[in-house]
Amino acid sequence: MQDIILKNGRIIDPTQDLDDQTDLLIRDGRIEHIGILNDGIPEGATVIDIDGKWCVPGLVDMHVHLREPGREDKETIQTGTMAAVAGGFTAVACMPNTNPVNDSAAVTRFIMEKARSAPAVVYPIAAVTRGLEGIQLTEMVELHEAGAVAFSDDGHCIMNADNLRRALDYVKIFGGLIIDHCEDPVISKGGVMREGFICTTLGFPPIPSLAEELMVARDIRIAEYTGSAIHIAHVSSRESVRLIRDAKNRGIRVSAEVTPHHLFLTDEAVKTFDTNTKMNPPLGTEEDREILEEAVISGVIDCIATDHAPHTDTEKQVEYSLAPNGIIGLETALPLVMTRLVHTRKMNPSQMIRSMSTNPSRLLGIEGGSLLKGAPAHITVIDPDRLWMVDPMRFYSKSQNTPFGGLSLRGSCNLTLVHGKIAFQSSN
Amino acid sequence: MQLQSKDLLGLEGVTKKEISLILDTAESFREVSERSIKKVPTLRGRTIINFFHEPSTRTRISFEIAAKRLSADGINFSTSGSSFSKGETLVDTVKNLEAMQADVIVMRHGIPGAPHLIARNLDAAVINAGDGAHEHPTQALLDMFTIRRHLGKLDGLTVVIVGDIAFSRVVRSNIYGLTTMGARVIVVGPPTLIPVEISRMGIEVLYNIDEAIPQADIIMILRIQLERQGKVFLPSLREYARLYSLTPERMKIAKKDVLVMHPGPINRGVEIDPRIADGDHSVILEQVSNGVAVRMALLFLLAGRKEFNKSE
Amino acid sequence: MSNVAANRIIMTARDIDRILSRFAYEILERFPDRDNLAVVGIQTGGAHLGRRLVQKLEKLEKRSFSFGILDITLYRDDLALEKDQPIVRKTDISFELNQRDIVLIDDVLYTGRTVRAALDALIDFGRPRRIALAVIVDRGLREFPIRPDFIGKEIQTIPEETVRVRLTEEGEPVDQVVLLKED
């Protein structure tokens, strides 16, 4: 395998307090050296002059839906991971709500097998309960051995508190992570958007933020009781942030993620009746948005995860309430974060890398998240100033369901290396 | 002077001038309905489709009569037993209707924004005849028309709306229209039926009807239902009636020339006492007659310039 | 407004008043059945002129006459062609039209389309015995086979010109008829 040299990059790695304009040498798919090459360029090496662009640990998205097996019309492991590397993500963790559900080692192995030739690294997240039905626990040890990095009944809150408690106890065998979608479905029943002023004016059945907050509070308490770690998926309300902050201050093992859409959109967007503003959890108020932004910058919320949820046009071109929830995010997350948080100086590059690479890697217990010597060369090169217009027709994803189409953003992925191989290179 | 949009999807954002134009035009059409030959040739050759995706008798008939009195061809299309059961999407269905040269599509739908969805996809004018609990602009216009005929103005009046505020599209359209025209709106009902932050729409909220009645120039009573969307918001209709029904006793504290309105259909003896519904203050049936005039005005204003719009 | 200089007053208040007086005599001569005589003015100029005409008739005959106003917007054949939506004005014909002699009055007769619409509208109200047409100015250029029965003044015009009857009822300082030469 040829050596690759990334020359003249601004190499940023918060795990080793690194922020230098220098070179990076990749050998045998691993990071061999950072710094000026004293011995000159090794023979036969490929040299890529990245000319001041940012060279950072490959981004990791710990919450995506790849739809395979079952809904290959929306996305496949191949197209989803292509979208990932185009968006700067070198690894994704995919949720188990496929068909069949990833609740058995066979499905986990199927995904791993399919992902072998995919451009990004895929880490399956398996179900906590069989069929996501909330009743009987899956064989989590076997799933873990097959490659599942975490467990979630994504889309369904683990409503039976006793089951959640058992799951949190059971994963102690191997120190596994449970991810919960926090929503009390009795409270949110029939709801379409976040309860609040906009919802009141539009006359939609409301989803009170209470539905999320009650379950966040419960989950934190159960995590504290069992001593296990729990991860709260896509936090959307400011009260949830307060609960998580307080829990962390008390030393409870809770972590959390937020999506780009909850960081950059509010319930105001629903006024367009664009079904690409319909998600679960629903978009919050401006007040929620500001608190979420603050929390991801300060680290109370550990990471940004896209909840990449592909749906076909046909499914989304319907009456608002009938549309499936969710939007895709892999190809827009980095440009949005760069434009709205980094260029506005709300967040520095290190904070961004923490929330989009280091923390999700740490939470899932996977390789990556740093540029330490000897680590696999999962690297994202970001062109911080490239102007980029969101054009869903040019996405690598099979689906186009995004509310961000037409936006002009600044900063996007230039080059993505997975295991030291070029997985994506921007055309200009 | 003309309406800014090709559609009437709601009263949110509709200006005072536009509302006045509609109400003034409706005055002329009211006269047409009083003639022995209640028909003018104005929209001869135009096709108006009443596309009702939710049961409705009065609104549909009102639009149908309005279309007929303007000599338009009105077609009714309800979705039970139609292509909807065959999996066709809403947009496909209305595109088919447009391909049959419909000029106006009047739509009733249970989901907020459904008329907006079709309006985006069609050249034809779309009139929202009620979308979920969102808006019902023609109802609010006929309410305002009725008030203006009786009291000569809207500006400075206090309108008290009582009942199921949360699930009422009539309320939202009336709030937009009435506040734009300078009226004061107070909504009254049990807290479980008052949606959060509704006061930010520029109105007042009261839980006690007896505090509101003496202030009212108009009392608008809404239909009440025990169950909505599979949830129960009231302990019983009996207790609701005790707390909020408009009764002769409550009318004693009202202004002596107060108007009593109801968008129908009425639950006699629940939200309103029959003696009040049929009494001197009630203009409930007049609302129904005025509905035809207001809908004629809208069809005229939206369908009248269709060809011009197309050629642009 | 370079064309202002070209505008020409073709009738004064006195001319208009004389014409209406003449109309009154001619109408009474033509329609001896006073009980069935009624005047209908076309919105908006014809309505004002009609009201004045009825006053003259009433003064001459010392009795009242039925008077109605008619808005023809809903009967126009050019609705879809208009850029600006015409305002629908009031129609008020509160008497029975059947078997009546109707004098329909308007300010200017031009293409004849307004009168065509007015005839259709009147017929929707009933079946008059006769309808006669009175106009203050006949500017020619007919597009329909319409002929007035009572004419104030005939003038030759071209389509680019506008004939405007200005009346005090509409806030004008004085009554007059002007010929505006548009560019």
Side-chain angles (χ1 to χ4, degrees):
Chain A
M1 205 171 149
Q2 257 183 354
D3 289 350
I4 294 179
I5 296 161
L6 301 176
K7 270 198 83 65
N8 295 319
R10 177 178 167 193
I11 298 176
I12 312 170
D13 179 6
T15 65
Q16 40 186 328
D17 261 334
L18 182 67
D19 189 344
D20 272 334
Q21 178 114 0
T22 186
D23 303 337
L24 185 146
L25 171 65
I26 297 162
R27 180 164 292 162
D28 297 328
R30 293 187 176 268
I31 294 165
E32 175 72 16
H33 178 77
I34 294 176
I36 303 297
L37 297 167
N38 294 324
D39 307 336
I41 291 164
E43 201 171 327
T46 307
V47 178
I48 304 171
D49 188 349
I50 56 176
D51 187 25
K53 295 186 184 75
W54 300 359
C55 175
V56 309
L59 306 183
V60 177
D61 190 344
M62 69 179 289
H63 191 148
V64 303
H65 299 269
L66 295 179
R67 303 297 184 211
E68 190 178 356
R71 286 306 302 265
E72 293 83 356
D73 56 326
K74 300 185 186 202
E75 197 81 284
T76 62
I77 290 168
Q78 179 65 27
T79 59
T81 50
M82 200 51 229
V85 292
F89 292 94
T90 55
V92 295
C94 58
M95 283 294 173
N97 60 339
T98 46
N99 186 13
V101 169
N102 182 11
D103 58 2
S104 71
V107 179
T108 301
R109 278 194 288 267
F110 169 85
I111 294 167
M112 302 284 285
E113 182 57 35
K114 277 270 175 176
R116 204 185 289 265
S117 57
V121 185
V122 176
Y123 296 102
I125 295 170
V128 176
T129 64
R130 291 191 185 182
L132 307 174
E133 283 167 354
I135 301 165
Q136 192 183 353
L137 296 185
T138 55
E139 294 165 336
M140 288 194 269
V141 172
E142 188 172 274
L143 284 159
H144 170 67
E145 287 162 1
V149 291
F151 298 85
S152 176
D153 276 1
D154 183 69
H156 307 266
C157 189
I158 303 161
M159 271 310 284
N160 183 326
D162 194 44
N163 269 347
L164 178 61
R165 184 256 160 107
R166 301 289 161 220
L168 284 168
D169 272 340
Y170 195 73
V171 292
K172 287 175 183 169
I173 297 172
F174 55 94
L177 178 69
I178 304 281
I179 302 172
D180 200 15
H181 165 115
C182 288
E183 174 191 359
D184 181 334
V186 176
I187 290 182
S188 65
K189 184 184 164 193
V192 170
M193 68 175 291
R194 170 60 50 80
E195 182 166 70
F197 176 64
I198 304 293
C199 181
T200 289
T201 62
L202 296 180
F204 276 120
I207 301 175
S209 62
L210 189 61
E212 174 178 297
E213 293 147 4
L214 280 178
M215 290 300 117
V216 170
R218 181 203 71 166
D219 284 12
I220 287 170
R221 179 67 193 116
I222 299 175
E224 181 182 23
Y225 193 83
T226 57
S228 284
I230 192 147
H231 179 78
I232 312 293
H234 41 51
V235 173
S236 74
S237 103
R238 68 194 159 98
E239 183 57 22
S240 299
V241 171
R242 191 190 65 77
L243 290 163
I244 292 162
R245 185 192 300 116
D246 291 354
K248 284 188 162 186
N249 288 342
R250 287 169 48 218
I252 300 168
R253 297 175 64 200
V254 59
S255 57
E257 70 193 30
V258 63
T259 70
H261 41 278
H262 289 104
L263 284 175
F264 306 123
L265 289 176
T266 66
D267 54 359
E268 279 276 341
V270 181
K271 292 181 93 169
T272 60
F273 295 112
D274 177 356
T275 52
N276 288 323
T277 62
K278 182 166 183 273
M279 14 256 186
N280 189 10
L283 295 172
T285 63
E286 176 59 22
E287 220 179 340
D288 291 318
R289 197 200 66 75
E290 284 167 16
I291 300 274
L292 289 167
E293 193 179 274
E294 227 177 86
V296 77
I297 294 165
S298 69
V300 167
I301 290 178
D302 302 79
C303 53
I304 296 171
T306 65
D307 195 2
H308 181 85
H311 294 294
T312 63
D313 264 1
T314 310
E315 289 172 297
K316 278 285 195 182
Q317 272 277 348
V318 294
E319 297 92 312
Y320 197 87
S321 306
L322 305 181
N325 289 311
I327 57 166
I328 54 174
L330 283 167
E331 292 171 75
T332 48
L334 174 65
L336 281 166
V337 171
M338 286 293 294
T339 307
R340 303 280 176 87
L341 295 181
V342 178
H343 285 305
T344 56
R345 300 190 177 279
K346 289 176 176 172
M347 196 180 223
N348 63 40
S350 292
Q351 287 167 321
M352 178 181 83
I353 294 158
R354 254 189 216 108
S355 64
M356 296 182 80
S357 175
T358 312
N359 287 344
S361 305
R362 174 180 52 80
L363 289 168
L364 297 175
I366 60 176
E367 57 182 24
S370 78
L371 299 175
L372 290 170
K373 182 175 156 71
H378 302 317
I379 295 172
T380 302
V381 175
I382 300 167
D383 181 344
D385 292 311
R386 179 170 173 239
L387 293 176
W388 185 70
M389 156 109 100
V390 184
D391 179 1
M393 296 318 289
R394 302 182 66 175
F395 282 167
Y396 289 88
S397 170
K398 240 184 186 183
S399 294
Q400 288 89 40
N401 53 310
T402 175
F404 298 114
L407 278 188
S408 275
L409 300 174
R410 182 171 153 222
S412 67
C413 171
N414 177 257
L415 182 65
T416 309
L417 294 153
V418 178
H419 285 299
K421 279 188 276 196
I422 295 175
F424 173 80
Q425 189 157 22
S426 151
S427 50
N428 53 340
Chain B
M1 178 66 202
Q2 58 203 30
L3 301 182
Q4 285 162 19
S5 167
K6 81 169 171 74
D7 311 300
L8 179 74
L9 300 176
L11 290 188
E12 184 182 11
V14 176
T15 64
K16 195 170 183 169
K17 267 190 169 165
E18 289 178 293
I19 292 175
S20 297
L21 171 70
I22 297 166
L23 301 186
D24 291 347
T25 307
E27 287 288 349
S28 306
F29 284 105
R30 199 187 132 98
E31 179 268 322
V32 172
S33 292
E34 285 165 355
R35 298 180 189 175
S36 57
I37 298 177
K38 301 174 185 57
K39 195 175 182 105
V40 289
T42 318
L43 295 184
R44 215 171 40 175
R46 301 295 163 88
T47 303
I48 294 166
I49 297 185
N50 291 319
F51 181 20
F52 279 62
H53 196 275
E54 203 184 59
S56 153
T57 310
R58 281 150 333 109
T59 304
R60 184 176 54 73
I61 290 177
S62 182
F63 268 108
E64 201 177 335
I65 290 176
K68 285 190 185 334
R69 288 192 182 159
L70 289 166
S71 304
D73 297 312
I75 313 270
N76 290 319
F77 175 48
S78 303
T79 38
S80 54
S82 76
S83 52
F84 266 74
S85 42
K86 295 172 196 152
E88 188 176 59
T89 67
L90 180 65
V91 173
D92 283 339
T93 304
V94 293
K95 282 196 165 157
N96 273 282
L97 299 181
E98 191 174 52
M100 298 177 213
Q101 317 300 332
D103 298 288
V104 180
I105 294 179
V106 176
M107 179 180 236
R108 160 70 60 92
H109 200 292
I111 296 175
H116 306 65
L117 171 68
I118 68 163
R120 268 203 302 273
N121 283 283
L122 297 181
D123 290 327
V126 177
I127 298 178
N128 180 358
D131 61 329
H134 180 218
E135 284 226 45
H136 191 357
T138 59
Q139 176 71 42
L141 287 164
L142 76 87
D143 290 341
M144 288 191 280
F145 182 76
T146 306
I147 295 169
R148 208 179 70 160
R149 280 191 69 83
H150 277 271
L151 304 177
K153 60 171 187 175
L154 292 161
D155 188 37
L157 297 176
T158 297
V159 182
V160 169
I161 309 178
V162 185
D164 180 350
I165 307 301
F167 294 94
S168 174
R169 48 190 166 220
V170 178
V171 167
R172 287 165 177 85
S173 287
N174 262 304
I175 289 174
Y176 288 125
L178 288 166
T179 54
T180 299
M181 299 308 283
R184 169 179 175 229
V185 178
I186 304 174
V187 298
V188 179
T192 48
L193 290 175
I194 307 266
V196 300
E197 298 184 53
I198 194 166
S199 60
R200 282 178 59 193
M201 293 181 82
I203 59 155
E204 295 154 63
V205 176
L206 289 173
Y207 301 141
N208 182 347
I209 191 174
D210 297 320
E211 285 173 38
I213 286 180
Q215 307 182 52
D217 297 302
I218 297 98
I219 303 172
M220 203 179 278
I221 302 292
L222 302 173
R223 182 180 170 79
I224 196 83
Q225 275 172 258
L226 197 55
E227 195 190 293
R228 289 281 195 175
Q229 291 163 349
K231 293 187 179 183
V232 175
F233 290 83
L234 295 170
S236 68
L237 287 180
R238 181 181 160 275
E239 178 146 302
Y240 178 84
R242 197 169 76 79
L243 292 175
Y244 295 102
S245 182
L246 193 62
T247 57
E249 294 70 48
R250 288 211 159 95
M251 283 296 283
K252 286 180 191 153
I253 58 170
K255 290 183 183 171
K256 70 175 194 308
D257 52 356
V258 69
L259 293 183
V260 172
M261 304 176 78
H262 192 305
I266 300 175
N267 286 317
R268 286 176 175 266
V270 182
E271 69 260 5
I272 189 167
D273 187 292
R275 285 165 291 178
I276 304 303
D278 303 331
D280 296 339
H281 294 279
S282 168
V283 293
I284 295 172
L285 288 175
E286 212 185 304
Q287 286 172 272
V288 178
S289 323
N290 290 339
V292 174
V294 165
R295 289 173 178 123
M296 285 172 82
L298 280 166
L299 290 175
F300 169 74
L301 291 169
L302 292 173
R305 21 191 327 270
K306 177 75 198 320
E307 280 164 34
F308 174 75
N309 286 342
K310 256 188 185 166
S311 65
E312 251 187 340
Chain C
M1 296 287 279
S2 58
N3 58 351
V4 171
N7 292 348
R8 190 156 58 90
I9 296 171
I10 51 177
M11 272 187 219
T12 63
R14 245 180 83 185
D15 297 333
I16 295 169
D17 190 59
R18 272 195 197 136
I19 287 165
L20 288 171
S21 297
R22 173 160 61 81
F23 282 178
Y25 284 111
E26 289 174 359
I27 288 164
L28 290 170
E29 194 183 327
R30 182 89 63 91
F31 300 106
D33 182 359
R34 303 283 188 265
D35 291 340
N36 278 315
L37 179 61
V39 175
V40 172
I42 298 175
Q43 285 275 37
T44 52
H48 303 311
L49 293 165
R51 214 171 272 118
R52 293 188 196 183
L53 176 63
V54 167
Q55 278 168 12
K56 289 192 184 290
L57 290 170
E58 289 177 344
K59 209 167 164 189
L60 287 172
E61 290 294 300
K62 309 231 177 322
R63 56 161 292 165
S64 66
F65 286 95
S66 299
F67 173 64
I69 55 176
L70 186 64
D71 180 80
I72 56 96
T73 310
L74 304 178
Y75 289 82
R76 283 172 61 162
D77 58 8
D78 57 356
L79 272 179
L81 307 174
E82 288 287 310
K83 187 176 171 102
D84 284 320
Q85 190 107 37
I87 304 281
V88 184
R89 295 176 201 281
K90 194 173 149 193
T91 289
D92 182 9
I93 298 177
S94 48
F95 53 90
E96 183 66 41
L97 259 74
N98 287 331
Q99 294 306 313
R100 301 293 288 268
D101 295 323
I102 306 294
V103 176
L104 185 64
I105 182 165
D106 203 359
D107 45 9
V108 180
L109 178 61
Y110 180 22
T111 61
R113 287 177 192 269
T114 299
V115 174
R116 192 285 306 164
L119 292 173
D120 280 354
L122 276 179
I123 286 162
D124 277 354
F125 281 89
R127 187 181 181 282
R129 182 162 58 190
R130 258 183 298 198
I131 301 175
L133 175 63
V135 295
I136 299 297
V137 179
D138 179 355
R139 58 171 292 192
L141 302 171
R142 213 79 76 238
E143 292 169 5
F144 277 17
I146 300 277
R147 181 184 55 77
D149 300 273
F150 309 103
I151 306 173
K153 183 171 183 171
E154 284 179 81
I155 56 166
Q156 297 289 320
T157 60
I158 54 169
E160 290 70 29
E161 292 168 327
T162 302
V163 176
R164 186 142 298 148
V165 177
R166 293 177 171 154
L167 299 172
T168 52
E169 286 95 328
E170 293 185 342
E172 299 289 344
V174 287
D175 290 341
Q176 59 182 203
V177 180
V178 289
L179 185 68
L180 307 172
K181 293 193 194 290
E182 308 289 337
D183 34 344

